[in-house]
Amino acid sequence: MSLVNIGVGPSNAKTITDHLAVLRPDTMIMIGHCGGLRNHQARGDFVLATAYQRADHVLDEVLPTDIPVIPNHRLNTFLLDSLDAAGARYRLGVVHTTDNRNWEFNQRRTLTMIKGARSIAVDMESATIAANGFRYRIPNATLLCVSDKPLHADPKLSGGAQFFYEASKRRHLGIALAALDRVRREYPNGLPNQDLRAADEPLLGADAERQYAEEAGFRDQ
Protein backbone atom coordinates (compact mmCIF):
# COMPACT_ATOMS: atom_id res chain seq x y z
CA MET A 1 0.00 0.00 0.00
CA SER A 2 1.18 3.50 -0.82
CA LEU A 3 0.03 6.86 0.49
CA VAL A 4 0.30 9.83 -1.87
CA ASN A 5 -0.26 13.40 -0.69
CA ILE A 6 -1.98 15.03 -3.65
CA GLY A 7 -2.06 18.50 -2.12
CA VAL A 8 -5.05 20.72 -2.91
CA GLY A 9 -7.15 21.04 -6.03
CA PRO A 10 -8.39 19.07 -9.04
CA SER A 11 -5.36 19.88 -11.21
CA ASN A 12 -3.06 18.14 -8.73
CA ALA A 13 -5.50 15.25 -8.44
CA LYS A 14 -5.60 14.78 -12.22
CA THR A 15 -1.85 14.98 -12.69
CA ILE A 16 -1.04 12.50 -9.93
CA THR A 17 -3.72 9.97 -10.89
CA ASP A 18 -2.59 10.19 -14.54
CA HIS A 19 0.85 9.08 -13.36
CA LEU A 20 -0.46 6.48 -10.92
CA ALA A 21 -2.59 4.88 -13.64
CA VAL A 22 0.55 3.86 -15.53
CA LEU A 23 1.47 1.63 -12.57
CA ARG A 24 -1.90 -0.19 -12.86
CA PRO A 25 -2.76 -0.05 -9.13
CA ASP A 26 -5.29 -2.56 -7.80
CA THR A 27 -7.35 0.23 -6.20
CA MET A 28 -7.38 3.95 -5.50
CA ILE A 29 -9.12 5.31 -2.40
CA MET A 30 -9.45 9.03 -1.87
CA ILE A 31 -8.90 9.75 1.85
CA GLY A 32 -9.45 13.41 2.56
CA HIS A 33 -11.44 16.13 4.26
CA CYS A 34 -14.58 17.88 3.14
CA GLY A 35 -17.12 20.49 4.02
CA GLY A 36 -20.28 18.98 5.50
CA LEU A 37 -23.45 20.39 3.96
CA ARG A 38 -26.20 18.89 6.13
CA ASN A 39 -27.56 20.16 9.43
CA HIS A 40 -27.03 16.91 11.28
CA GLN A 41 -23.39 16.47 10.29
CA ALA A 42 -20.66 17.39 12.75
CA ARG A 43 -16.90 17.75 12.53
CA GLY A 44 -15.35 14.31 12.57
CA ASP A 45 -18.28 12.60 10.85
CA PHE A 46 -17.38 10.52 7.81
CA VAL A 47 -18.76 10.71 4.29
CA LEU A 48 -18.80 7.67 2.02
CA ALA A 49 -19.38 8.82 -1.54
CA THR A 50 -22.05 7.02 -3.56
CA ALA A 51 -21.76 9.38 -6.56
CA TYR A 52 -20.05 12.61 -7.60
CA GLN A 53 -21.12 15.97 -8.92
CA ARG A 54 -18.34 17.13 -11.20
CA ALA A 55 -17.69 20.87 -11.09
CA ASP A 56 -13.90 20.43 -11.20
CA HIS A 57 -13.74 20.89 -15.02
CA VAL A 58 -10.23 19.46 -15.50
CA LEU A 59 -11.44 16.35 -17.34
CA ASP A 60 -14.46 17.76 -19.17
CA GLU A 61 -12.82 17.51 -22.61
CA VAL A 62 -11.93 13.84 -22.28
CA LEU A 63 -14.86 12.70 -20.12
CA PRO A 64 -18.11 14.66 -20.61
CA THR A 65 -19.95 15.48 -17.40
CA ASP A 66 -23.10 13.63 -18.51
CA ILE A 67 -21.25 10.29 -18.22
CA PRO A 68 -22.09 8.75 -14.82
CA VAL A 69 -19.13 8.20 -12.49
CA ILE A 70 -19.69 6.13 -9.35
CA PRO A 71 -17.37 4.40 -6.86
CA ASN A 72 -16.67 0.68 -6.99
CA HIS A 73 -19.48 -1.19 -5.25
CA ARG A 74 -17.24 -3.79 -3.58
CA LEU A 75 -14.86 -1.17 -2.23
CA ASN A 76 -17.79 0.84 -0.88
CA THR A 77 -19.23 -2.26 0.78
CA PHE A 78 -15.91 -2.95 2.50
CA LEU A 79 -15.57 0.68 3.60
CA LEU A 80 -19.12 0.64 4.93
CA ASP A 81 -18.42 -2.49 6.96
CA SER A 82 -15.21 -0.91 8.25
CA LEU A 83 -17.08 2.23 9.34
CA ASP A 84 -19.65 0.14 11.17
CA ALA A 85 -16.95 -1.97 12.85
CA ALA A 86 -15.27 1.23 14.08
CA GLY A 87 -18.54 2.61 15.44
CA ALA A 88 -18.08 5.73 13.33
CA ARG A 89 -20.72 8.33 12.51
CA TYR A 90 -21.15 8.64 8.76
CA ARG A 91 -23.46 9.52 5.90
CA LEU A 92 -23.66 8.12 2.38
CA GLY A 93 -24.39 10.39 -0.54
CA VAL A 94 -23.23 12.64 -3.35
CA VAL A 95 -19.95 14.56 -3.09
CA HIS A 96 -19.77 17.88 -4.94
CA THR A 97 -16.26 18.58 -6.24
CA THR A 98 -15.46 22.16 -7.24
CA ASP A 99 -12.43 23.88 -8.76
CA ASN A 100 -13.31 27.14 -6.95
CA ARG A 101 -11.62 27.27 -3.56
CA ASN A 102 -13.62 30.38 -2.67
CA TRP A 103 -17.04 29.23 -3.85
CA GLU A 104 -18.62 30.43 -0.60
CA PHE A 105 -18.11 34.06 -1.66
CA ASN A 106 -20.45 33.63 -4.64
CA GLN A 107 -22.66 30.73 -3.74
CA ARG A 108 -25.57 31.04 -6.15
CA ARG A 109 -24.47 28.64 -8.93
CA THR A 110 -22.77 26.16 -6.60
CA LEU A 111 -25.70 26.09 -4.19
CA THR A 112 -28.12 25.45 -7.05
CA MET A 113 -26.06 22.43 -8.12
CA ILE A 114 -25.63 21.16 -4.56
CA LYS A 115 -29.36 21.41 -3.81
CA GLY A 116 -30.32 19.80 -7.11
CA ALA A 117 -28.08 16.78 -6.47
CA ARG A 118 -28.81 16.69 -2.71
CA SER A 119 -25.06 16.63 -2.10
CA ILE A 120 -23.92 15.96 1.45
CA ALA A 121 -20.31 17.16 1.14
CA VAL A 122 -18.11 19.47 -0.90
CA ASP A 123 -14.40 19.11 -1.71
CA MET A 124 -11.90 19.82 -4.49
CA GLU A 125 -10.49 16.42 -5.50
CA SER A 126 -12.83 13.45 -5.08
CA ALA A 127 -14.71 13.60 -8.38
CA THR A 128 -11.45 14.14 -10.28
CA ILE A 129 -9.90 11.01 -8.83
CA ALA A 130 -13.08 9.04 -9.44
CA ALA A 131 -13.32 10.26 -13.04
CA ASN A 132 -9.73 9.28 -13.75
CA GLY A 133 -10.36 5.94 -12.08
CA PHE A 134 -13.27 5.48 -14.48
CA ARG A 135 -11.13 6.44 -17.48
CA TYR A 136 -8.31 4.08 -16.57
CA ARG A 137 -10.47 1.20 -15.27
CA ILE A 138 -9.06 1.37 -11.74
CA PRO A 139 -11.44 0.42 -8.89
CA ASN A 140 -11.85 3.49 -6.70
CA ALA A 141 -13.81 4.87 -3.77
CA THR A 142 -13.90 7.94 -1.54
CA LEU A 143 -13.88 8.18 2.25
CA LEU A 144 -13.97 11.75 3.53
CA CYS A 145 -14.09 13.28 6.99
CA VAL A 146 -16.03 16.48 7.73
CA SER A 147 -13.58 19.17 8.81
CA ASP A 148 -15.84 22.24 8.50
CA LYS A 149 -19.40 23.26 7.65
CA PRO A 150 -19.27 26.12 5.14
CA LEU A 151 -23.03 26.64 5.02
CA HIS A 152 -23.42 26.75 8.80
CA ALA A 153 -21.02 29.55 9.80
CA ASP A 154 -18.41 26.99 10.87
CA PRO A 155 -15.36 27.72 8.67
CA LYS A 156 -12.05 25.88 8.73
CA LEU A 157 -9.53 28.11 10.50
CA SER A 158 -5.82 27.35 10.56
CA GLY A 159 -5.33 26.55 14.25
CA GLY A 160 -8.47 24.47 14.61
CA ALA A 161 -7.77 22.67 11.34
CA GLN A 162 -4.34 21.49 12.44
CA PHE A 163 -5.72 20.23 15.75
CA PHE A 164 -8.52 18.44 13.92
CA TYR A 165 -6.13 16.76 11.46
CA GLU A 166 -3.88 15.50 14.23
CA ALA A 167 -6.82 14.15 16.19
CA SER A 168 -8.65 12.48 13.30
CA LYS A 169 -6.11 11.20 10.78
CA ARG A 170 -5.11 7.98 12.55
CA ARG A 171 -8.71 6.78 12.86
CA HIS A 172 -9.50 7.89 9.30
CA LEU A 173 -6.57 5.97 7.85
CA GLY A 174 -7.31 2.96 10.05
CA ILE A 175 -10.83 2.61 8.65
CA ALA A 176 -9.60 2.80 5.05
CA LEU A 177 -6.69 0.42 5.65
CA ALA A 178 -9.00 -2.14 7.27
CA ALA A 179 -11.08 -2.14 4.08
CA LEU A 180 -7.97 -2.57 1.94
CA ASP A 181 -6.80 -5.46 4.10
CA ARG A 182 -10.08 -7.17 3.33
CA VAL A 183 -9.61 -6.56 -0.41
CA ARG A 184 -6.20 -8.17 -0.16
CA ARG A 185 -7.57 -11.22 1.67
CA GLU A 186 -10.66 -11.79 -0.44
CA TYR A 187 -9.31 -10.71 -3.83
CA PRO A 188 -5.56 -11.47 -3.82
CA ASN A 189 -5.46 -11.13 -7.61
CA GLY A 190 -7.29 -7.83 -7.66
CA LEU A 191 -10.95 -6.86 -7.79
CA PRO A 192 -12.96 -8.44 -10.65
CA ASN A 193 -12.58 -6.72 -14.00
CA GLN A 194 -16.16 -7.18 -15.10
CA ASP A 195 -17.21 -4.21 -12.99
CA LEU A 196 -14.82 -1.95 -14.89
CA ARG A 197 -14.92 -2.91 -18.57
CA ALA A 198 -16.97 -4.75 -21.12
CA ALA A 199 -15.89 -8.23 -22.16
CA ASP A 200 -14.66 -6.99 -25.57
CA GLU A 201 -13.14 -3.72 -24.38
CA PRO A 202 -9.33 -3.35 -24.31
CA LEU A 203 -7.90 -2.03 -21.09
CA LEU A 204 -6.97 1.43 -22.34
CA GLY A 205 -8.83 1.37 -25.67
CA ALA A 206 -7.94 -0.30 -28.96
CA ASP A 207 -5.97 2.65 -30.34
CA ALA A 208 -3.96 3.08 -27.16
CA GLU A 209 -3.08 -0.62 -26.95
CA ARG A 210 -2.11 -0.75 -30.63
CA GLN A 211 0.13 2.29 -30.19
CA TYR A 212 1.71 0.76 -27.09
CA ALA A 213 2.42 -2.48 -28.93
CA GLU A 214 4.00 -0.64 -31.86
CA GLU A 215 6.17 1.47 -29.59
CA ALA A 216 7.27 -1.66 -27.74
CA GLY A 217 8.35 -3.27 -31.03
CA PHE A 218 5.45 -5.69 -31.41
CA ARG A 219 3.41 -6.23 -34.57
CA ASP A 220 0.30 -8.22 -35.32
CA GLN A 221 1.24 -11.73 -36.34
Side-chain angles (χ1 to χ4, degrees), residues 30-38 41 45-56 65 69-71 76 79 90-99 103 110 113-131 140-146 172:
M30 166 62 176
I31 305 171
H33 298 97
C34 64
L37 300 176
R38 298 301 181 92
Q41 287 173 306
D45 287 1
F46 291 95
V47 169
L48 183 60
T50 56
Y52 305 91
Q53 192 171 39
R54 294 172 51 203
D56 53 329
T65 56
V69 173
I70 60 174
N76 257 19
L79 285 167
Y90 63 86
R91 291 193 69 151
L92 287 73
V94 178
V95 172
H96 178 94
T97 296
T98 178
D99 62 350
W103 65 270
T110 302
M113 295 178 67
I114 286 172
K115 290 179 179 179
R118 301 176 186 171
S119 300
I120 64 170
V122 57
D123 82 338
M124 297 189 68
E125 299 87 19
S126 292
T128 309
I129 294 171
N140 64 88
T142 297
L143 180 65
L144 303 175
C145 188
V146 175
H172 195 170

Side-chain angles (χ1 to χ4, degrees), residues 30 51 53 57 72 74-75 83 89 106 110 112 137 139 141 173 196 213:
M30 166 62 176
Q53 192 171 39
H57 301 303
N72 181 270
R74 284 180 174 84
L75 272 177
L83 284 164
R89 282 172 48 98
N106 187 5
T110 302
T112 299
R137 284 83 169 177
L173 284 172
L196 307 173

